[in-house]
Amino acid sequence: MSIYLYIDTTNELKLGLLSENLQWIDFLETQNRKTSDSLHERTYELLKNHNCKMSEIKALFTCSGPGSYTGMRVSEGLAKTLENESIDVFSFYHFEVPRLCGKNSYVWIENAFKKEYFSYIWNDGKEHKEIFAHSDLQEFYVQYQKSNLEIFTCNNLDNLSTSSIFELVKNNSQNFFKMLLIQKLRRSPYYFRDIEEEFKPSIK
């Protein structure tokens, strides 16, 4: 039996197993932000619960960001380990998910920590990225809501009405992961800012 393993440690740990035809066998979401403490244990339990072994993994699908430095390194470390064992690794960015699922135009917003938000706009083949202050979230949201672009996020944005990236991945697994395989995507870790800015202390 060939299976695919899905891991996302950009914020809270999310794990999944997919069948050979890219349908979910299992999908787990945790509230644990300390992904380094639970990734190996949860992965072992997931495989054990479905009588699977690491040697049966055909490939790993993982998210390469944007995310926190610590969270990103956890999944990338496992990815490198599996690649050393000749297991294929395919990775993507959260803001690419709607496009890979066939969306021509949309907005993606995420909490970038340090009292800031990161936005990605994809509109008919053109992209735009920016970071803006937390206090400007409402104004930004209203602006793009009026433009009728669908707004995606990974986490709740102050109770604003948005579409979930994770629901998109869960509900479109065959099309989405097939695109990763076809395009052979292997993204490098993507942080919200360049490395010098990422390590500056948060604004108090």
Side-chain angles (χ1 to χ4, degrees):
M1 178 177 67
S2 295
I3 56 172
Y4 294 93
L5 179 64
Y6 168 82
I7 292 175
D8 187 335
T9 61
T10 53
N11 192 4
E12 297 169 347
L13 177 61
K14 292 177 174 58
L15 285 171
L17 277 181
L18 296 118
S19 65
E20 193 163 10
N21 63 356
L22 301 174
Q23 291 184 321
W24 291 110
I25 298 172
D26 203 346
F27 186 92
L28 303 176
E29 298 181 76
T30 76
Q31 302 299 313
N32 186 2
R33 293 180 183 273
K34 294 183 178 180
T35 53
S36 60
D37 294 342
S38 56
L39 175 59
H40 292 171
E41 180 182 356
R42 287 301 186 99
T43 301
Y44 173 80
E45 290 176 352
L46 179 65
L47 293 169
K48 183 180 178 181
N49 288 343
H50 294 280
N51 297 314
C52 299
K53 300 177 181 179
M54 290 293 286
S55 59
E56 295 174 319
I57 295 175
K58 187 172 184 178
L60 169 69
F61 296 120
T62 183
C63 182
S64 290
S68 69
Y69 180 82
T70 302
M72 297 294 304
R73 300 317 301 178
V74 171
S75 57
E76 186 63 17
L78 178 60
K80 293 290 188 183
T81 298
L82 294 184
E83 284 178 323
N84 289 338
E85 296 296 322
S86 299
I87 295 174
D88 290 330
V89 175
F90 302 91
S91 56
F92 61 94
Y93 299 137
H94 279 142
F95 54 68
E96 295 180 302
V97 172
R99 175 172 58 80
L100 291 168
C101 288
K103 304 285 184 179
N104 292 323
S105 299
Y106 60 90
V107 178
W108 182 78
I109 314 173
E110 189 53 56
N111 186 345
F113 314 112
K114 301 178 186 289
K115 297 184 178 180
E116 292 179 326
Y117 279 91
F118 176 97
S119 68
Y120 175 92
I121 298 104
W122 177 263
N123 197 352
D124 292 330
K126 296 181 180 180
E127 66 176 13
H128 175 74
K129 305 170 190 173
E130 69 174 294
I131 287 182
F132 58 90
H134 182 278
S135 56
D136 294 331
L137 175 61
Q138 186 69 39
E139 180 181 351
F140 182 96
Y141 175 83
V142 171
Q143 174 189 350
Y144 284 98
Q145 188 182 45
K146 288 180 179 179
S147 70
N148 293 321
L149 291 180
E150 188 170 6
I151 300 173
F152 289 90
T153 188
C154 296
N155 300 289
N156 183 27
L157 293 179
D158 293 350
N159 296 315
L160 299 177
S161 178
T162 57
S163 299
S164 168
I165 286 294
F166 298 119
E167 289 302 314
L168 198 58
V169 171
K170 286 191 289 186
N171 295 332
N172 295 273
S173 64
Q174 288 183 301
N175 291 335
F176 174 66
F177 292 112
K178 183 179 179 180
M179 289 302 295
L180 295 187
L181 293 173
I182 290 173
Q183 297 186 24
K184 298 181 179 180
L185 288 186
R186 178 67 172 103
R187 301 303 197 197
S188 300
Y190 189 115
Y191 309 108
F192 290 111
R193 307 162 188 83
D194 63 48
I195 204 68
E196 296 297 331
E197 289 293 322
E198 196 67 32
F199 278 92
K200 283 184 179 179
S202 300
I203 299 172
K204 295 183 180 181

